[in-house]
Amino acid sequence: MAERVGKRNRLMPWYIGTAVILASVFFVAYRMWVNDCGAPVAIELGVLTVIPAVYLALMYLTLTSQD
């Protein structure tokens, strides 16, 4: 009997990574807010938006370029 192998969604790791990154961003943002973080606003924005956005974009490009 031949088993039918379904086609795997190649963006599934990206969806999982997005969920993990968003959860960690919300956690870090909450900790910064609760502890009254004294970091400059530019650094906070970099940590909470720029770095995760660049990582997700690179991960998306990598996964969509695969066959």
Side-chain angles (χ1 to χ4, degrees):
M1 253 196 296
E3 291 185 31
R4 295 197 63 147
V5 178
K7 186 168 178 160
R8 185 176 66 90
N9 184 0
R10 62 183 180 193
L11 287 180
M12 184 56 70
W14 189 77
Y15 298 139
I16 295 169
T18 301
V20 169
I21 288 172
L22 288 177
S24 63
V25 164
F26 285 124
F27 176 74
V28 170
Y30 172 74
R31 295 289 301 219
M32 284 180 158
W33 182 63
V34 167
N35 292 332
D36 195 26
C37 181
V41 174
I43 298 212
E44 288 181 2
L45 289 177
V47 168
L48 296 176
T49 59
V50 175
I51 294 171
V54 169
Y55 178 75
L56 285 172
L58 291 174
M59 190 167 68
Y60 177 80
L61 291 173
T62 301
L63 292 171
T64 55
S65 68
Q66 296 177 353
D67 287 334

